[in-house]
Amino acid sequence: MKKRIFSGVQPSGNLHIGNYLGAIANWVKLQDEFESIFCVVDMHAITVPQDPETLRKKTIEIAKIYLAAGISAKGGSASGGDPTFPIIFIQSQVPEHTELMWILNTISKMSELEKMTQFKDKTQKGGSEGAAVGLFDYPVLMAADILLYGTEVVPVGEDQKQHVELARDLAKRFNQKFGETFIIPKAFIKEEGMRVMGLDNPEKKMSKSAESAYNRIELLDDEETIRRKIKKAVTDSGSEIVYSDDKPALKNLINIYAAFSNKSPKEIEKMYMGKGYGDFKAELAEVIIGFLTPFQEKYSALSDEEVLEILKDGAEKVRPIAKEKLDEVKTKVGFIV
Ligand code: ATP
Ligand code: LTN
């Protein structure tokens, strides 16, 4: 029997090549080997303020990105027989997620949520006093997403590792208290290189919510924008193209070049021996454009209607799986189901 994988992206901000290389590209590679479920996590997105119309638009946009990237989910197969994978769906269309979250809340500790780096980062500016309780509780909802489906593998970027660890801890704690119920999931994180750093600051990860658009290459950026952003990307002192830890900006750019060209950093170093940043950056922009152009063509060919249909079908397919697990959990804690 195939093992199951589950992952998701929030429909907030514009997806960038970090999201693609760190997460979605791995989903595409793993989708046939596993029973794959990919979610658009709109309930996570509202842990920071969102404009409702924009959230709706972004939810469809993320699903289109999954499909254009190569996730081969299809509609029209919900009724009758076993569900076919991969499945994509919208988190808020499956209420079992929040129901399980509530139960997991009762075994989660304040102290373990207070340790979460993402919460600390996101409340750094304004302090935690005024932060939404939902932002604090975000990792418990994520644990519910994962545990509801008997997930064994969670393909995410490195920044999400701590959250997957919490899901493991909660699963173990619940099993210990109430008997074997949850599979203990594992994070799947691509080896070094796939933590894409900000183009304007190689010390911090490329991020949807970074203020400057020059922080990231967005998956829907046009050619001119990509050329401009790469040209403006910060570089290190010196003029040679070398891959080393003391040149973090260049290392990041070489990693991006490597990921989109299937060349190793060593090969890239060689190609640019005796050449400078100008040549390297100009060709890096073209390598990215070479990848994003066909991706964007596939994206544009998808209509909102067909994508909504696939998502609705996906929610219908996952609900029975979610309900079965939730009923088991409810019974174990003493609810009458
Ligand atoms: P934000 O910065 O607004 O929190 P984000 O850009 O981190 O958003 P998420 O929706 O939190 O995006 O992440 C979606 C997936 O992309 C996650 O699996 C995350 O680990 C991965 N990811 C995000 N940024 C990067 C990055 N710079 N490099 C590699 N993977 C990343
Ligand atoms: N927090 C994740 C998104 C997410 C997720 C999940 C990922 C929500 N639920 C379940 C994997 C499994 C993020 O990438 N920011």
Side-chain angles (χ1 to χ4, degrees), residues 7-12 14-24 27 41 118 122 138 155-160 194-198 205-210:
S7 196
V9 172
Q10 307 180 68
S12 54
N14 296 334
L15 254 64
H16 49 76
I17 55 173
N19 299 126
Y20 176 76
L21 294 173
I24 300 172
W27 305 359
V41 290
Q118 181 179 293
K122 294 208 165 173
Y138 177 116
V156 282
E158 204 208 284
D159 60 298
Q160 294 298 314
M194 279 314 96
R195 183 156 202 257
V196 182
M197 309 311 281
K205 71 162 191 152
M206 184 176 282
S207 160
K208 286 187 283 190
S209 52

Side-chain angles (χ1 to χ4, degrees), residues 6-8 37 39 41 43-44 89 91 94 96-98 100-101 104 138-151:
F6 184 101
S7 196
I37 305 178
C39 188
V41 290
M43 290 192 290
H44 278 108
F89 75 102
Q91 188 186 34
V94 181
E96 282 79 3
H97 289 241
T98 36
L100 179 60
M101 174 187 70
L104 294 178
Y138 177 116
V140 182
L141 177 58
M142 179 160 159
D145 297 341
I146 295 169
L147 300 181
L148 207 43
Y149 298 101
T151 305

Side-chain angles (χ1 to χ4, degrees), residues 205-259:
K205 71 162 191 152
M206 184 176 282
S207 160
K208 286 187 283 190
S209 52
E211 253 161 59
S212 166
Y214 287 97
N215 167 268
R216 57 188 170 264
I217 302 285
E218 296 174 5
L219 294 174
L220 300 178
D221 274 345
D222 62 35
E223 295 188 11
E224 271 324 301
T225 309
I226 296 170
R227 291 192 187 105
R228 192 162 17 96
K229 286 182 175 176
I230 293 293
K231 213 172 187 175
K232 266 198 89 162
V234 299
T235 44
D236 310 279
S237 56
S239 59
E240 283 155 52
I241 308 302
V242 282
Y243 188 75
S244 99
D245 284 339
D246 40 274
K247 293 191 185 293
L250 192 53
K251 186 176 177 197
N252 186 43
L253 295 180
I254 294 178
N255 278 335
I256 297 172
Y257 197 126

